[in-house]
Coordinates of all heavy atoms in Angstrom, one line a residue:
M1 N 3.3 -24.8 -2.8 CA 3.5 -25.0 -1.3 C 2.2 -25.3 -0.7 O 1.2 -24.6 -0.8 CB 4.2 -23.8 -0.7 CG 4.3 -23.9 0.8 SD 5.5 -22.8 1.5 CE 4.5 -21.4 1.9
K2 N 2.1 -26.4 0.0 CA 0.9 -26.8 0.8 C 0.9 -26.0 2.1 O 2.0 -25.8 2.7 CB 0.8 -28.3 1.0 CG 0.3 -29.1 -0.2 CD 0.3 -30.6 0.1 CE 1.6 -31.1 -0.1 NZ 2.2 -32.2 0.2
E3 N -0.3 -25.7 2.6 CA -0.4 -24.9 3.8 C 0.2 -25.6 5.0 O 0.6 -24.9 5.9 CB -1.8 -24.4 4.0 CG -2.1 -23.4 2.9 CD -3.6 -22.9 3.0 OE1 -4.2 -23.1 4.0 OE2 -4.0 -22.3 2.0
E4 N 0.2 -26.9 5.0 CA 0.7 -27.6 6.2 C 2.3 -27.7 6.1 O 2.9 -28.2 7.1 CB 0.1 -29.0 6.3 CG 0.2 -29.9 5.1 CD -1.0 -29.8 4.1 OE1 -1.6 -28.7 4.1 OE2 -1.3 -30.7 3.4
D5 N 2.9 -27.3 5.0 CA 4.4 -27.4 4.9 C 5.1 -26.4 5.8 O 6.2 -26.7 6.2 CB 4.8 -27.1 3.5 CG 4.5 -28.2 2.5 OD1 4.1 -29.3 3.0 OD2 4.5 -28.0 1.3
A6 N 4.5 -25.3 6.2 CA 5.1 -24.3 7.0 C 4.1 -23.7 7.9 O 2.9 -23.9 7.8 CB 5.8 -23.2 6.1
E7 N 4.6 -22.9 8.8 CA 3.7 -22.2 9.8 C 2.9 -21.2 9.0 O 3.4 -20.5 8.1 CB 4.5 -21.6 10.9 CG 3.7 -21.1 12.0 CD 4.5 -20.2 13.0 OE1 5.7 -20.2 12.8 OE2 3.9 -19.6 13.8
H8 N 1.6 -21.1 9.3 CA 0.8 -20.0 8.8 C 0.0 -19.4 9.9 O -0.1 -20.0 11.0 CB -0.2 -20.6 7.7 CG 0.5 -21.0 6.4 ND1 0.6 -20.1 5.4 CD2 1.2 -22.1 6.1 CE1 1.3 -20.7 4.4 NE2 1.7 -21.8 4.8
G9 N -0.6 -18.3 9.6 CA -1.5 -17.6 10.6 C -0.7 -16.7 11.5 O -1.3 -16.3 12.6
T10 N 0.5 -16.3 11.2 CA 1.2 -15.3 12.0 C 1.6 -14.2 11.0 O 1.6 -14.3 9.8 CB 2.5 -15.9 12.6 OG1 3.5 -16.2 11.5 CG2 2.3 -17.1 13.4
Y11 N 2.0 -13.0 11.6 CA 2.4 -11.9 10.8 C 3.6 -12.2 10.0 O 3.7 -11.9 8.8 CB 2.6 -10.6 11.6 CG 2.9 -9.4 10.7 CD1 1.9 -8.9 9.9 CD2 4.2 -8.9 10.7 CE1 2.2 -7.9 9.0 CE2 4.4 -7.8 9.9 CZ 3.4 -7.3 9.0 OH 3.7 -6.3 8.2
A12 N 4.6 -13.0 10.6 CA 5.8 -13.4 9.9 C 5.5 -14.3 8.7 O 6.0 -14.1 7.6 CB 6.8 -14.1 10.8
S13 N 4.6 -15.3 8.9 CA 4.2 -16.2 7.8 C 3.4 -15.4 6.8 O 3.5 -15.7 5.6 CB 3.5 -17.4 8.4 OG 2.2 -17.0 8.9
Y14 N 2.7 -14.4 7.2 CA 1.9 -13.6 6.2 C 2.9 -12.9 5.2 O 2.6 -12.9 4.0 CB 1.1 -12.5 7.0 CG 0.5 -11.5 6.1 CD1 -0.6 -11.7 5.3 CD2 1.0 -10.2 6.2 CE1 -1.1 -10.8 4.5 CE2 0.4 -9.2 5.4 CZ -0.7 -9.5 4.6 OH -1.2 -8.5 3.8
Q15 N 4.0 -12.4 5.8 CA 5.0 -11.8 4.9 C 5.5 -12.8 3.8 O 5.7 -12.4 2.7 CB 6.2 -11.2 5.7 CG 5.8 -10.1 6.6 CD 5.3 -8.9 5.9 OE1 5.9 -8.5 5.0 NE2 4.2 -8.3 6.4
Q16 N 5.7 -14.0 4.2 CA 6.2 -15.0 3.3 C 5.1 -15.5 2.4 O 5.3 -15.6 1.2 CB 6.7 -16.3 4.1 CG 7.9 -16.0 4.9 CD 9.1 -15.5 4.1 OE1 9.4 -16.0 3.1 NE2 9.6 -14.3 4.5
C17 N 3.9 -15.6 2.9 CA 2.7 -16.0 2.2 C 2.4 -15.0 1.0 O 1.9 -15.4 0.0 CB 1.5 -16.2 3.1 SG 0.5 -17.6 2.8
L18 N 2.7 -13.7 1.3 CA 2.4 -12.7 0.3 C 3.2 -12.9 -1.0 O 2.8 -12.5 -2.1 CB 2.9 -11.3 0.8 CG 1.9 -10.5 1.7 CD1 2.6 -9.3 2.2 CD2 0.7 -10.1 0.9
K19 N 4.3 -13.6 -0.9 CA 5.2 -13.9 -2.0 C 4.8 -15.0 -2.9 O 5.3 -15.3 -4.0 CB 6.7 -14.0 -1.6 CG 7.2 -12.8 -0.8 CD 8.6 -13.1 -0.2 CE 9.0 -12.0 0.6 NZ 10.1 -12.3 1.5
R20 N 3.9 -15.8 -2.4 CA 3.4 -17.0 -3.1 C 2.6 -16.6 -4.3 O 1.8 -15.6 -4.3 CB 2.5 -17.9 -2.3 CG 3.1 -18.4 -1.0 CD 2.3 -19.5 -0.3 NE 0.9 -19.1 -0.2 CZ 0.0 -20.0 0.2 NH1 0.3 -21.2 0.5 NH2 -1.3 -19.7 0.3
P21 N 2.9 -17.2 -5.5 CA 2.1 -16.9 -6.7 C 0.6 -17.0 -6.5 O -0.2 -16.3 -7.1 CB 2.6 -17.8 -7.8 CG 3.4 -18.9 -7.1 CD 3.8 -18.4 -5.7
E22 N 0.2 -17.9 -5.7 CA -1.3 -18.1 -5.4 C -1.9 -17.2 -4.4 O -3.1 -17.2 -4.2 CB -1.6 -19.6 -5.1 CG -1.1 -20.0 -3.7 CD 0.3 -20.6 -3.8 OE1 1.2 -20.2 -4.6 OE2 0.6 -21.6 -3.0
G23 N -1.0 -16.3 -3.8 CA -1.4 -15.3 -2.9 C -1.5 -15.9 -1.4 O -1.0 -17.0 -1.2
T24 N -2.0 -15.1 -0.5 CA -2.0 -15.5 0.9 C -3.1 -16.5 1.2 O -4.1 -16.4 0.6 CB -2.2 -14.2 1.8 OG1 -3.4 -13.6 1.4 CG2 -1.0 -13.3 1.7
C25 N -2.8 -17.3 2.1 CA -3.8 -18.3 2.6 C -4.7 -17.5 3.6 O -4.3 -16.5 4.1 CB -3.2 -19.5 3.2 SG -2.3 -19.2 4.8
E26 N -5.8 -18.1 3.9 CA -6.8 -17.5 4.8 C -6.2 -17.2 6.2 O -6.4 -16.1 6.7 CB -8.0 -18.4 4.9 CG -9.2 -17.8 5.7 CD -9.8 -16.5 5.1 OE1 -9.5 -16.2 3.9 OE2 -10.5 -15.8 5.8
P27 N -5.5 -18.1 6.9 CA -5.0 -17.8 8.2 C -4.0 -16.7 8.2 O -4.0 -15.8 9.1 CB -4.3 -19.1 8.6 CG -4.9 -20.2 7.8 CD -5.3 -19.6 6.5
C28 N -3.1 -16.6 7.2 CA -2.2 -15.6 7.1 C -2.8 -14.2 6.7 O -2.5 -13.2 7.3 CB -1.1 -15.9 6.0 SG 0.0 -17.2 6.5
R29 N -3.8 -14.3 5.9 CA -4.5 -13.0 5.5 C -5.2 -12.4 6.8 O -5.1 -11.2 7.0 CB -5.6 -13.3 4.5 CG -6.1 -12.1 3.7 CD -7.3 -12.4 2.8 NE -8.4 -13.0 3.6 CZ -9.2 -12.3 4.4 NH1 -9.0 -11.1 4.6 NH2 -10.2 -13.0 5.1
K30 N -5.8 -13.3 7.6 CA -6.4 -12.8 8.8 C -5.3 -12.3 9.8 O -5.6 -11.2 10.4 CB -7.2 -14.0 9.5 CG -8.5 -14.2 8.9 CD -9.3 -15.3 9.6 CE -10.7 -15.5 9.0 NZ -11.3 -16.7 9.5
A31 N -4.2 -13.0 9.9 CA -3.1 -12.5 10.8 C -2.6 -11.2 10.3 O -2.3 -10.3 11.1 CB -2.0 -13.5 10.8
G32 N -2.4 -11.0 9.0 CA -2.0 -9.7 8.5 C -2.9 -8.6 8.8 O -2.5 -7.5 9.2
A33 N -4.2 -8.8 8.6 CA -5.3 -7.8 8.8 C -5.3 -7.5 10.3 O -5.4 -6.3 10.7 CB -6.6 -8.3 8.4
E34 N -5.2 -8.5 11.2 CA -5.2 -8.3 12.6 C -4.0 -7.4 13.0 O -4.1 -6.6 13.9 CB -5.2 -9.6 13.4 CG -5.2 -9.5 14.9 CD -6.3 -8.6 15.5 OE1 -7.4 -8.6 14.8 OE2 -6.1 -7.9 16.5
Y35 N -2.8 -7.7 12.5 CA -1.6 -7.0 12.7 C -1.8 -5.5 12.4 O -1.5 -4.6 13.2 CB -0.4 -7.5 12.0 CG 0.9 -6.8 12.2 CD1 1.7 -7.2 13.3 CD2 1.3 -5.8 11.4 CE1 2.9 -6.5 13.5 CE2 2.4 -5.1 11.6 CZ 3.3 -5.4 12.7 OH 4.4 -4.7 12.9
M36 N -2.4 -5.2 11.2 CA -2.6 -3.8 10.8 C -3.6 -3.2 11.7 O -3.4 -2.0 12.1 CB -3.0 -3.8 9.4 CG -1.9 -4.0 8.4 SD -0.4 -3.0 8.7 CE -1.0 -1.4 8.5
R37 N -4.7 -3.9 12.1 CA -5.7 -3.4 13.0 C -5.0 -2.9 14.3 O -5.2 -1.8 14.8 CB -6.7 -4.4 13.2 CG -8.1 -3.8 13.5 CD -9.3 -4.8 13.7 NE -8.9 -6.2 13.6 CZ -9.2 -7.0 12.5 NH1 -9.7 -6.5 11.4 NH2 -8.9 -8.3 12.5
Q38 N -4.2 -3.8 14.9 CA -3.5 -3.5 16.1 C -2.5 -2.4 15.9 O -2.4 -1.5 16.8 CB -2.7 -4.8 16.6 CG -2.3 -4.8 18.0 CD -3.5 -4.7 19.0 OE1 -4.5 -5.3 18.8 NE2 -3.4 -3.8 20.0
W39 N -1.8 -2.4 14.8 CA -0.8 -1.3 14.5 C -1.5 0.1 14.6 O -1.0 1.0 15.2 CB -0.2 -1.5 13.2 CG 1.0 -0.7 12.9 CD1 2.3 -0.9 13.2 CD2 1.0 0.6 12.3 NE1 3.1 0.1 12.8 CE2 2.3 1.1 12.3 CE3 0.0 1.4 11.8 CZ2 2.7 2.3 11.7 CZ3 0.3 2.7 11.2 CH2 1.6 3.1 11.2
R40 N -2.7 0.1 13.9 CA -3.4 1.4 13.9 C -3.9 1.8 15.3 O -3.9 2.9 15.6 CB -4.6 1.3 12.9 CG -4.1 1.4 11.4 CD -5.3 1.6 10.5 NE -6.2 0.4 10.5 CZ -6.2 -0.6 9.7 NH1 -5.3 -0.6 8.7 NH2 -7.0 -1.6 9.7
K41 N -4.3 0.8 16.0 CA -4.9 1.0 17.4 C -3.8 1.5 18.3 O -4.0 2.4 19.1 CB -5.5 -0.3 17.9 CG -6.4 -0.2 19.1 CD -7.0 -1.5 19.5 CE -7.1 -1.6 21.0 NZ -7.3 -3.0 21.4
D42 N -2.6 0.9 18.2 CA -1.4 1.2 19.1 C -0.8 2.6 18.7 O -0.1 3.2 19.5 CB -0.3 0.2 19.0 CG -0.8 -1.1 19.6 OD1 -1.9 -1.1 20.3 OD2 -0.1 -2.2 19.4
R43 N -0.9 3.0 17.5 CA -0.2 4.2 17.0 C -1.2 5.2 16.3 O -1.0 5.5 15.1 CB 0.9 3.8 16.0 CG 1.9 2.9 16.6 CD 2.8 2.4 15.5 NE 3.7 1.3 16.0 CZ 3.3 0.0 16.2 NH1 2.1 -0.3 16.0 NH2 4.2 -0.8 16.6
P44 N -2.3 5.6 17.0 CA -3.2 6.5 16.3 C -2.6 7.7 15.8 O -3.0 8.2 14.7 CB -4.3 6.7 17.4 CG -3.6 6.5 18.7 CD -2.6 5.4 18.4
L45 N -1.6 8.3 16.5 CA -1.0 9.5 16.1 C -0.2 9.3 14.8 O -0.3 10.1 13.8 CB -0.1 10.1 17.2 CG -0.9 10.7 18.4 CD1 0.0 11.2 19.4 CD2 -1.8 11.9 17.9
A46 N 0.7 8.3 14.8 CA 1.5 8.0 13.6 C 0.6 7.7 12.4 O 0.9 8.2 11.3 CB 2.5 6.8 13.9
Y47 N -0.4 6.9 12.7 CA -1.3 6.5 11.6 C -2.0 7.8 11.0 O -2.1 8.0 9.8 CB -2.3 5.5 12.0 CG -3.3 5.1 11.0 CD1 -2.8 4.4 9.8 CD2 -4.6 5.3 11.1 CE1 -3.7 4.1 8.9 CE2 -5.5 4.9 10.2 CZ -5.1 4.3 9.0 OH -6.0 3.9 8.1
G48 N -2.5 8.6 11.9 CA -3.1 9.9 11.5 C -2.2 10.8 10.7 O -2.6 11.4 9.7
R49 N -0.9 10.8 11.2 CA 0.1 11.7 10.5 C 0.3 11.1 9.1 O 0.4 11.9 8.1 CB 1.4 11.7 11.2 CG 1.5 12.8 12.3 CD 2.9 13.1 12.7 NE 3.6 11.9 13.2 CZ 3.5 11.6 14.5 NH1 2.8 12.3 15.4 NH2 4.1 10.5 15.0
E50 N 0.5 9.8 9.0 CA 0.7 9.2 7.6 C -0.5 9.5 6.7 O -0.3 9.8 5.5 CB 1.0 7.7 7.8 CG 2.3 7.3 8.3 CD 3.5 8.1 7.6 OE1 3.5 8.0 6.3 OE2 4.2 8.7 8.2
R51 N -1.7 9.3 7.3 CA -2.9 9.6 6.4 C -2.9 11.0 6.0 O -3.3 11.3 4.9 CB -4.1 9.1 7.2 CG -5.3 8.9 6.3 CD -6.4 8.3 7.0 NE -6.6 8.9 8.3 CZ -7.5 8.5 9.3 NH1 -8.2 7.5 9.1 NH2 -7.6 9.2 10.4
A52 N -2.6 11.9 7.0 CA -2.6 13.3 6.7 C -1.6 13.7 5.6 O -1.9 14.5 4.7 CB -2.3 14.1 8.0
K53 N -0.4 13.1 5.6 CA 0.6 13.3 4.6 C 0.1 12.8 3.2 O 0.3 13.5 2.2 CB 1.9 12.6 5.0 CG 2.7 13.2 6.0 CD 4.0 12.5 6.2 CE 4.8 12.8 7.4 NZ 5.9 11.9 7.6
T54 N -0.5 11.6 3.2 CA -1.0 11.1 2.0 C -2.1 12.0 1.4 O -2.1 12.3 0.2 CB -1.5 9.7 2.2 OG1 -0.5 8.8 2.7 CG2 -2.0 9.0 0.9
N55 N -3.0 12.5 2.2 CA -4.1 13.3 1.7 C -3.5 14.6 1.2 O -3.9 15.2 0.2 CB -5.1 13.6 2.9 CG -5.9 12.3 3.2 OD1 -5.9 11.4 2.4 ND2 -6.5 12.3 4.3
A56 N -2.5 15.2 2.0 CA -1.9 16.5 1.6 C -1.2 16.3 0.3 O -1.3 17.2 -0.6 CB -0.9 17.0 2.7
R57 N -0.5 15.2 0.1 CA 0.2 15.0 -1.2 C -0.8 14.9 -2.3 O -0.5 15.5 -3.4 CB 1.0 13.6 -1.1 CG 2.0 13.4 -2.2 CD 2.8 12.1 -2.1 NE 3.4 12.0 -0.8 CZ 3.2 11.1 0.1 NH1 2.3 10.1 -0.1 NH2 3.9 11.1 1.3
G58 N -1.9 14.2 -2.2 CA -2.9 14.1 -3.2 C -3.5 15.5 -3.6 O -3.6 15.8 -4.7
R59 N -3.7 16.3 -2.5 CA -4.3 17.7 -2.8 C -3.2 18.5 -3.5 O -3.6 19.3 -4.4 CB -4.7 18.3 -1.5 CG -5.9 17.8 -0.9 CD -6.5 18.6 0.2 NE -5.6 18.9 1.3 CZ -5.4 18.2 2.4 NH1 -6.1 17.1 2.6 NH2 -4.5 18.5 3.3
A60 N -1.9 18.4 -3.1 CA -0.9 19.2 -3.8 C -0.7 18.8 -5.2 O -0.6 19.7 -6.1 CB 0.5 19.0 -3.0
W61 N -0.8 17.5 -5.5 CA -0.8 17.1 -6.9 C -1.9 17.6 -7.7 O -1.7 18.1 -8.9 CB -0.8 15.5 -7.0 CG 0.5 14.9 -6.8 CD1 0.8 14.0 -5.8 CD2 1.7 15.0 -7.6 NE1 2.1 13.6 -6.0 CE2 2.7 14.2 -7.1 CE3 2.0 15.8 -8.7 CZ2 4.0 14.2 -7.6 CZ3 3.3 15.7 -9.3 CH2 4.2 14.9 -8.7
A62 N -3.1 17.6 -7.1 CA -4.3 18.1 -7.8 C -4.1 19.6 -8.1 O -4.5 20.1 -9.2 CB -5.6 17.9 -7.0
R63 N -3.6 20.4 -7.1 CA -3.4 21.8 -7.3 C -2.3 22.1 -8.4 O -2.5 23.0 -9.2 CB -3.0 22.5 -6.0 CG -4.1 22.5 -5.0 CD -3.7 23.0 -3.7 NE -3.2 24.4 -3.7 CZ -2.5 24.9 -2.7 NH1 -2.2 24.3 -1.6 NH2 -2.0 26.2 -2.9
L64 N -1.2 21.3 -8.3 CA -0.2 21.4 -9.3 C -0.7 21.2 -10.7 O -0.5 21.9 -11.7 CB 1.0 20.5 -9.0 CG 2.2 20.6 -9.9 CD1 2.8 22.0 -9.7 CD2 3.2 19.5 -9.4
A65 N -1.5 20.1 -10.9 CA -2.1 19.8 -12.2 C -3.0 20.9 -12.7 O -3.1 21.2 -13.8 CB -2.9 18.5 -12.0
H66 N -3.7 21.5 -11.7 CA -4.6 22.6 -12.1 C -3.8 23.9 -12.5 O -4.2 24.6 -13.4 CB -5.5 23.0 -10.9 CG -6.6 24.0 -11.2 ND1 -7.7 23.6 -11.9 CD2 -6.7 25.3 -10.9 CE1 -8.5 24.7 -12.0 NE2 -7.9 25.7 -11.4
M67 N -2.7 24.1 -11.9 CA -1.9 25.3 -12.2 C -1.1 25.1 -13.5 O -0.8 26.1 -14.2 CB -0.9 25.6 -11.0 CG -1.6 26.1 -9.7 SD -0.5 25.9 -8.3 CE 0.7 27.2 -8.6
Q68 N -0.7 23.9 -13.7 CA 0.2 23.6 -14.9 C -0.4 22.4 -15.7 O 0.2 21.4 -15.8 CB 1.6 23.2 -14.5 CG 2.4 24.3 -13.8 CD 2.9 25.3 -14.8 OE1 3.0 25.0 -16.0 NE2 3.3 26.5 -14.3
P69 N -1.7 22.6 -16.2 CA -2.4 21.5 -16.8 C -1.6 20.9 -18.1 O -1.6 19.6 -18.2 CB -3.7 22.0 -17.3 CG -3.5 23.5 -17.3 CD -2.5 23.8 -16.3
T70 N -1.0 21.7 -18.9 CA -0.4 21.2 -20.1 C 0.9 20.4 -19.7 O 1.1 19.3 -20.2 CB 0.0 22.4 -21.0 OG1 -1.1 23.2 -21.2 CG2 0.6 21.9 -22.3
L71 N 1.7 21.0 -18.8 CA 2.9 20.3 -18.3 C 2.5 19.0 -17.6 O 3.1 18.0 -17.9 CB 3.7 21.2 -17.4 CG 5.0 20.6 -16.8 CD1 5.9 20.2 -17.9 CD2 5.6 21.6 -15.8
F72 N 1.5 19.1 -16.8 CA 1.1 17.9 -16.0 C 0.6 16.8 -17.0 O 1.0 15.6 -16.8 CB 0.0 18.2 -15.0 CG -0.4 17.1 -14.1 CD1 0.4 16.8 -13.0 CD2 -1.4 16.3 -14.4 CE1 0.1 15.7 -12.2 CE2 -1.7 15.2 -13.6 CZ -1.0 14.9 -12.4
Q73 N -0.2 17.2 -18.0 CA -0.7 16.2 -18.9 C 0.5 15.6 -19.7 O 0.5 14.4 -20.0 CB -1.7 16.9 -19.9 CG -2.5 16.0 -20.7 CD -3.3 15.0 -19.9 OE1 -3.9 15.4 -18.8 NE2 -3.4 13.7 -20.2
A74 N 1.5 16.4 -20.1 CA 2.6 15.9 -20.8 C 3.4 14.9 -20.0 O 3.8 13.8 -20.5 CB 3.5 17.0 -21.3
L75 N 3.6 15.2 -18.7 CA 4.4 14.4 -17.8 C 3.6 13.1 -17.6 O 4.2 12.0 -17.6 CB 4.7 15.1 -16.5 CG 5.7 16.2 -16.5 CD1 5.7 16.9 -15.2 CD2 7.1 15.7 -16.9
Y76 N 2.3 13.2 -17.4 CA 1.4 12.1 -17.2 C 1.5 11.1 -18.4 O 1.6 9.9 -18.2 CB 0.0 12.5 -16.9 CG -1.0 11.5 -16.7 CD1 -0.9 10.6 -15.7 CD2 -2.1 11.3 -17.6 CE1 -1.9 9.6 -15.5 CE2 -3.0 10.4 -17.4 CZ -2.9 9.5 -16.4 OH -3.8 8.5 -16.2
Q77 N 1.4 11.7 -19.6 CA 1.4 10.9 -20.8 C 2.7 10.2 -20.9 O 2.8 9.0 -21.3 CB 1.1 11.8 -22.0 CG 0.7 11.1 -23.3 CD -0.6 10.3 -23.0 OE1 -1.6 10.8 -22.4 NE2 -0.7 9.0 -23.4
E78 N 3.8 10.9 -20.7 CA 5.2 10.3 -20.7 C 5.3 9.1 -19.8 O 5.8 8.1 -20.1 CB 6.1 11.4 -20.3 CG 7.4 11.5 -21.1 CD 8.3 12.7 -20.5 OE1 9.1 12.5 -19.6 OE2 8.1 13.8 -21.1
E79 N 4.8 9.3 -18.6 CA 4.9 8.2 -17.6 C 4.0 7.0 -18.0 O 4.4 5.9 -17.8 CB 4.5 8.7 -16.2 CG 5.5 9.7 -15.6 CD 6.9 9.0 -15.4 OE1 7.0 7.8 -15.2 OE2 7.9 9.8 -15.5
L80 N 2.8 7.3 -18.6 CA 2.0 6.2 -19.0 C 2.7 5.4 -20.1 O 2.7 4.1 -20.0 CB 0.7 6.7 -19.7 CG -0.5 7.0 -18.7 CD1 -1.6 7.6 -19.5 CD2 -0.9 5.8 -17.9
E81 N 3.4 6.1 -21.1 CA 4.1 5.4 -22.1 C 5.3 4.7 -21.6 O 5.6 3.5 -22.0 CB 4.5 6.4 -23.2 CG 3.3 6.8 -24.1 CD 3.6 8.1 -24.8 OE1 4.7 8.6 -24.9 OE2 2.6 8.7 -25.2
R82 N 6.0 5.3 -20.6 CA 7.1 4.6 -20.0 C 6.7 3.3 -19.3 O 7.3 2.3 -19.3 CB 7.8 5.5 -19.0 CG 9.0 5.0 -18.4 CD 9.5 5.9 -17.3 NE 9.8 7.3 -17.7 CZ 10.6 8.1 -17.2 NH1 11.3 7.7 -16.1 NH2 10.8 9.3 -17.6
G83 N 5.5 3.4 -18.6 CA 4.9 2.2 -17.9 C 4.6 1.1 -18.9 O 4.9 -0.1 -18.6
E84 N 4.1 1.4 -20.1 CA 3.8 0.4 -21.1 C 5.0 -0.2 -21.7 O 5.0 -1.4 -22.0 CB 3.0 1.0 -22.2 CG 1.5 1.3 -21.8 CD 0.8 2.2 -22.7 OE1 1.3 2.5 -23.8 OE2 -0.3 2.7 -22.4
A85 N 6.1 0.6 -21.8 CA 7.4 0.1 -22.4 C 8.1 -0.9 -21.5 O 8.7 -1.8 -22.0 CB 8.3 1.3 -22.7
S86 N 8.0 -0.7 -20.2 CA 8.7 -1.6 -19.3 C 8.0 -2.9 -18.9 O 6.8 -2.9 -19.2 CB 9.2 -0.9 -18.1 OG 8.0 -0.5 -17.3
Ligands
LIG101 ZN1 -0.1 -18.6 4.8

């Protein structure tokens, strides 16, 4: 798809551009980044909550792995092998 075939440089076109095998074009990449910048600016509380949840999840996983290292290692290995099989 040539960049002049369709509209580019908007958040909507960015969503479409993401699906291209060659990846996003420069105008769409910029539009996507600007959208996210604006999103974080408009919703600092929601963004902060999401980040806090992600951080808490990471810490909980680390603690679980520390408490149950053998079980965690076995599950991790199982998932790695499953990932390779599919
Ligand atoms: Zn594009």
Side-chain angles (χ1 to χ4, degrees):
M1 174 162 93
K2 280 180 276 162
E3 289 177 17
E4 56 270 27
D5 288 346
E7 190 190 350
H8 286 268
T10 66
Y11 184 67
S13 67
Y14 168 71
Q15 295 296 314
Q16 294 305 309
C17 223
L18 275 175
K19 298 171 187 165
R20 304 193 310 174
E22 67 269 36
T24 54
C25 68
E26 186 65 13
C28 287
R29 197 188 58 73
K30 281 184 178 166
E34 179 53 34
Y35 179 87
M36 284 312 295
R37 209 175 3 257
Q38 196 60 44
W39 190 90
R40 286 191 294 265
K41 197 177 145 199
D42 292 347
R43 302 167 188 80
L45 289 176
Y47 179 62
R49 270 196 304 273
E50 284 312 306
R51 198 171 44 187
K53 281 185 194 170
T54 302
N55 290 344
R57 193 179 302 119
R59 288 193 304 270
W61 277 120
R63 289 173 63 194
L64 187 60
H66 187 74
M67 291 161 74
Q68 294 283 342
T70 308
L71 177 60
F72 187 82
Q73 195 56 41
L75 290 171
Y76 177 61
Q77 201 56 45
E78 221 178 90
E79 289 301 327
L80 275 180
E81 284 160 18
R82 185 188 301 204
E84 284 164 12
S86 63

